[in-house]
């Protein structure tokens, strides 16, 4: 274990051991009631989670300073950010909700590879992450997730055109389309999503269909 109590008021991560040695590895899930501050280094959760109640905030997250694993956030309103990444890159998710009627928890994580299966994303022109969102108890009308990445040639394939990126969602064994929102060189948004599961981002691999009369 890492010696942390199960619940802390504030937690500062400041490990300066250099690449590969600046990681705090969790042996259990931990709740941070106040401020989770990143100064240096990552938290690796494994199968555990960093749990952030409604009043908790995050400070300093960014390149080389984030949670590699699961972040569980509780909220009743607002636009929570999940300071997640994989073993190499920061790839946070921002969620903007419409019509929350019951507050709950959402857990987010990302892996350092394309989602498995036929997602409808061209794996040669994709963001090399598979994001997973899991809802527990939150009742809402819809939400708009923004999936952030470092950029083309880093954690998105060289030659990919971020202006053409789409978000595809996996649920119940089926991949489906989402509605495009804002797209930048380092982020892709979907809008009006009504449930949570796995998400892939990149250029479409689906052939355009045309009809002639």
């Amino acid at each position: 274990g890492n010696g942390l109590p199960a619940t802390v008021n504030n937690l500062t991560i400041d490990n300066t051991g250099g690449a590969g040695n600046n990681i705090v590895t969790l042996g259990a899930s931990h709740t941070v009631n106040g401020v989770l501050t990143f100064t240096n280094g990552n938290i690796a959760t494994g199968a555990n989670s960093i749990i952030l109640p409604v009043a908790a905030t995050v400070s300093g997250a960014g390149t080389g300073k984030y949670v590699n694993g699961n972040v569980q956030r509780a909220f009743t309103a607002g636009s929570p950010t999940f300071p997640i990444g994989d073993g190499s890159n920061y790839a946070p998710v921002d969620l903007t909700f419409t019509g929350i009627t019951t507050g709950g928890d959402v857990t987010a994580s990302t892996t350092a590879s394309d989602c498995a299966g036929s997602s409808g994303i061209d794996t040669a022109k994709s963001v090399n992450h598979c994001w997973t969102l899991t809802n527990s108890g939150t009742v809402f009308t819809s939400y708009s997730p923004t999936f952030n990445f470092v950029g083309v040639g880093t954690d998105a394939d060289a030659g990919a055109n971020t202006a053409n990126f789409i978000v595809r969602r996996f649920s119940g064994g089926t991949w489906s389309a989402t509605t495009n929102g804002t797209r930048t060189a380092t982020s892709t948004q979907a809008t009006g999503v009504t449930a949570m599961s796995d998400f892939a981002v990149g250029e479409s691999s689906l052939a355009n269909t045309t009809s002639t009369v």
Side-chain angles (χ1 to χ4, degrees), residues 74-146:
F75 50 89
T76 55
S79 301
T81 294
F82 294 78
I84 56 173
D86 59 32
S88 302
N89 297 300
Y90 185 45
V93 179
D94 308 307
L95 304 182
T96 301
F97 282 87
T98 299
I100 295 178
T101 55
T102 304
D105 296 280
V106 171
T107 301
S109 63
T110 187
T111 59
S113 61
D114 294 307
C115 294
S118 302
S119 66
I121 298 291
D122 184 342
T123 56
K125 296 180 178 180
S126 67
V127 180
N128 300 315
H129 292 289
C130 186
W131 285 273
T132 300
L133 301 176
T134 304
N135 179 33
S136 178
T138 316
V139 180
F140 57 90
T141 302
S142 66
Y143 69 102
S144 297
T146 298

Side-chain angles (χ1 to χ4, degrees), residues 42 61-66 83-94 110-112 126-131 146-158 160 162 165 183-188 201:
N42 293 347
T63 302
K65 301 184 294 181
Y66 55 84
I84 56 173
D86 59 32
S88 302
N89 297 300
Y90 185 45
V93 179
D94 308 307
T110 187
T111 59
S126 67
V127 180
N128 300 315
H129 292 289
C130 186
W131 285 273
T146 298
F147 301 97
N148 300 278
F149 49 95
V150 179
V152 171
T154 302
D155 57 349
D157 295 315
T162 57
F165 278 7
R183 290 180 280 197
T184 75
T186 57
S187 68
T188 305
V201 174

